Amino acid sequence: MVYTIPSIIESKISSHAKDLIEKLEEFVENECIPSETLYQSQLGEGDQRWKIIPPVIESLKEKAKSLGLWNLFLSKEYPEGAGLTNLEYSLMAEIMGRSMRLAPEATNCSAPDTGNMEVFAKYGTPEQKSRWLTPLLSGEIRSSVAMTEPRVASSDATNIETSIKRVGKEYVINGIKWWISGAGDPRCSVYLVMGKTDPTNKILHRQQSIVIVPANTRGIKVIRPLTVFGYDDAPEGHCEIRFDDVRVPIENVILGEGRGFEVIQGRLGPGRIHHCMRSIGAAERALDLMLARITDPSRRTFGKLLAEHGTIISDIARSRIEIDQARFLVLNAAHMIDKVGPKQAMKEIGMAKATVPTVLLNVLDRSIQAHGAAGVSADFPLAYLWAAGRTLKFADGPDEIHIQQIGKWELRRAPEASKRINEANRKKLAKL
C-alpha cells in the first residue's frame, strides 16, 4: 500500500515529514508486520515471561535508527526530537498503528515512554534530563507512570490517596498503584509517581505532585501482573505495585510541589492524540483484513462471495466513512495543539478521544464478524486489537468525562447563541 496524506492538510506537511512517512510505511509493512509472529514465539514462558525481551524487537530498533525513524513523537519545539509538528507526527502514528505491538516500540515511540520523555523534556531539570531523558531517548531503558489506584475512582484524580510526605531532604512514599503499564519489563528503570504532598490544601488540584522514583528503590514491590481480557502484554505488562516507605531525594520532584495536575495534563494531551492516531491505523488494518477475507474465492456462502452480500457491503461502507470521519477529528486536534498548545486544544482533543476508540471497536467488530470464529482466534490480530481498543475507552480519561466536558464547553456558547437567534427574530419582525 502507499499511504495517502489527506489532501486538505498536504500543504502543511513538510518534505522532510513526507520522506519519513514513506520510509516508515515501508518499515512497518515490510519489517514490523512480518515480524509479529516471530515476536510472539520469542516471548518467555512461565517465570521467564517477564525476563526475556524478544530479540527481534532489538533488531527492529537498530533498523529504525539506521533509517532515521527514531523519537519521531517529540515535536519540533524540543531539540531532542525529529523536528516534526504534532500534525505531521499524527500521520506517522497512524502508520505505526498498523503494527500496534511492534512499530511504536521499534521506533522508540511507544507509551508510556513517549509521555514520560515529554515530561522530562518539558519540565525536567538538567540533572533529571541527564539521568533519565538521555537513556530513554536512546532506547536503553524504559519507564512507567504510576497514577491509577485500586481503592478509589481514579478517573477523578483528586481522589488519589498515595502519600508523598516530605521528611527532611527526602520524600517518603506510601500507597498502592495498579494498571501501571510497562512495570513488568526488566528494562523499566524509573516510575513517575503521582501522589499527595499537601492533602489538606483547599485547592484540590494543588494537593498532588509527581516525583521520580527509580525502579530499584527499596520498598517497591510489584504485587502482580494484570491481564486485559486475558492478555498479559508481556514483557511490559500492566502491574499492581505497592510503595512502602519508599524514599527519594526532594530533588526528584517534577516542576515543584503541588504541580502534579499541571504536569499530567501537559503529558496527556499529546498522548491522547498518539493513541487516537494509532487506533486509526489499527482500524485501517482491520478493514484491510476484512476486505481480503470477504473477497477470498474459497469462501462462499449460499452461492455467493461474502463480498456479494448486502450486509457485508454495508459494513465496508460504514467502516470507511467512520474511519475517515475519526481521522479528521484527530488531525484537527493535532493541528490545534500546534497552533495554540494542548491546554487550549482540550476540546478538540476530547472530541477525538471520545470518538476514536468507538470507531475502532465498530470496525474491529465488523471484521471479526466477517472472519467468523477465526476472528476471535490468535490466528488474526483482531481479538487482541479489540481488547486494546476497549481499554482505550477509559485509558487516559473515560469517554464520559470527555463527553461531559465537551458538553460544558458547548453550553458556554448558549448566551451568544441565544443573543444571535433573538437578534435574527427581531430583524424578521421588523420586516413584517
Side-chain angles (χ1 to χ4, degrees):
M1 65 172 286
V2 176
Y3 184 80
T4 302
I5 298 171
S7 59
I8 197 170
I9 63 163
E10 187 169 7
S11 63
K12 299 182 183 297
I13 308 303
S14 67
S15 57
H16 170 58
K18 289 177 180 177
D19 180 58
L20 288 174
I21 285 170
E22 183 178 345
K23 289 181 181 178
L24 180 62
E25 182 182 26
E26 183 175 345
F27 176 69
V28 171
E29 295 296 324
N30 297 328
E31 301 288 346
C32 296
I33 292 176
S35 298
E36 290 172 348
T37 301
L38 177 60
Y39 178 89
Q40 290 296 326
S41 71
Q42 291 178 343
L43 288 169
E45 298 290 341
D47 292 342
Q48 297 301 305
R49 193 152 180 82
W50 306 101
K51 297 178 181 178
I52 293 177
I53 305 301
V56 67
I57 192 64
E58 295 302 321
S59 298
L60 289 171
K61 286 164 69 174
E62 291 304 315
K63 178 75 170 178
K65 282 183 182 179
S66 71
L67 294 170
L69 302 173
W70 195 254
N71 294 330
L72 303 173
F73 70 96
L74 269 180
S75 60
K76 62 195 312 179
E77 65 185 280
Y78 300 108
E80 302 91 347
L84 302 169
T85 65
N86 284 285
L87 180 62
E88 290 169 336
Y89 175 67
S90 66
L91 301 174
M92 298 176 200
E94 176 183 342
I95 296 170
M96 293 178 203
R98 293 184 62 84
S99 181
M100 188 80 80
R101 196 73 173 90
L102 296 188
E105 182 179 353
T107 55
N108 212 37
C109 293
S110 59
D113 293 327
T114 49
N116 293 341
M117 284 188 271
E118 189 154 5
V119 166
F120 284 121
K122 188 172 185 177
Y123 304 114
T125 65
E127 292 76 16
Q128 291 168 350
K129 289 181 179 181
S130 176
R131 182 171 181 187
W132 303 114
L133 179 59
T134 298
L136 280 168
L137 286 170
S138 67
E140 297 171 25
I141 65 172
R142 299 205 64 185
S143 61
S144 291
V145 57
M147 185 173 173
T148 305
E149 298 182 0
R151 296 174 178 172
V152 297
S154 300
S155 57
D156 177 357
T158 62
N159 291 328
I160 283 174
E161 295 180 330
T162 293
S163 169
I164 303 176
K165 291 184 178 179
R166 182 167 176 169
V167 179
K169 294 185 177 181
E170 293 180 316
Y171 288 117
V172 181
I173 305 165
N174 285 280
I176 299 177
K177 300 287 188 179
W178 73 340
W179 296 109
I180 310 309
S181 297
D185 194 317
R187 299 166 296 178
C188 182
S189 300
V190 61
Y191 305 130
L192 296 185
V193 180
M194 188 173 189
K196 290 186 176 179
T197 48
D198 188 5
T200 61
N201 194 315
K202 293 182 180 179
I203 303 174
L204 290 179
H205 291 83
R206 296 288 292 180
Q207 294 180 354
Q208 299 80 10
S209 301
I210 292 180
V211 295
I212 303 165
V213 181
N216 61 359
T217 306
R218 181 179 298 178
I220 297 174
K221 181 179 181 181
V222 177
I223 299 171
R224 57 172 175 152
L226 301 161
T227 58
V228 180
F229 294 105
Y231 296 100
D232 63 8
D233 287 329
E236 297 90 354
H238 314 279
C239 299
E240 183 173 354
I241 302 176
R242 180 186 296 275
F243 295 85
D244 288 325
D245 290 331
V246 173
R247 292 174 176 266
V248 297
I250 58 174
E251 291 80 14
N252 281 28
V253 69
I254 295 285
L255 199 59
E257 288 187 13
R259 303 184 73 175
F261 265 90
E262 181 181 347
V263 174
I264 214 68
Q265 286 303 318
R267 179 189 187 281
L268 287 177
R272 287 169 177 150
I273 294 303
H274 301 169
H275 278 312
C276 287
M277 284 309 286
R278 285 193 294 266
S279 296
I280 296 295
E284 287 283 10
R285 186 173 178 191
L287 182 54
D288 282 356
L289 287 167
M290 182 179 179
L291 290 170
R293 186 76 168 188
I294 64 176
T295 55
D296 182 346
S298 70
R299 299 186 179 279
R300 305 177 75 88
T301 58
F302 306 103
K304 296 180 179 180
L305 287 175
L306 292 175
E308 294 173 326
H309 290 279
T311 55
I312 295 286
I313 294 172
S314 174
D315 284 348
I316 295 168
R318 284 187 291 162
S319 295
R320 170 48 57 210
I321 292 167
E322 290 170 10
I323 290 172
D324 285 1
Q325 287 174 330
R327 177 184 291 109
F328 283 118
L329 270 179
V330 184
L331 293 176
N332 182 56
H335 182 50
M336 287 298 293
I337 293 174
D338 288 329
K339 284 182 63 177
V340 298
K343 188 173 183 179
Q344 299 301 317
M346 290 307 291
K347 182 175 76 171
E348 289 77 12
I349 294 170
M351 288 192 293
K353 179 60 174 63
T355 299
V356 171
T358 298
V359 168
L360 172 59
L361 293 174
N362 287 343
V363 176
L364 283 167
D365 193 58
R366 294 171 193 140
S367 188
I368 288 169
Q369 192 72 11
H371 281 75
V376 296
S377 75
D379 291 355
F380 293 89
L382 300 169
Y384 175 80
L385 291 173
W386 192 93
R390 184 59 186 85
T391 305
L392 282 180
K393 287 181 69 65
F394 45 78
D396 286 356
D399 289 358
E400 292 82 357
I401 288 180
H402 294 298
I403 290 169
Q404 184 180 43
Q405 190 59 56
I406 292 162
K408 288 180 179 178
W409 278 318
E410 283 299 293
L411 281 170
R412 292 175 187 171
R413 298 195 309 109
E416 177 191 348
S418 296
K419 181 180 178 181
R420 187 167 58 250
I421 291 169
N422 291 336
E423 182 64 18
N425 289 336
R426 184 188 66 78
K427 291 177 180 179
K428 287 180 185 177
L429 291 173
K431 290 182 178 292
L432 296 178

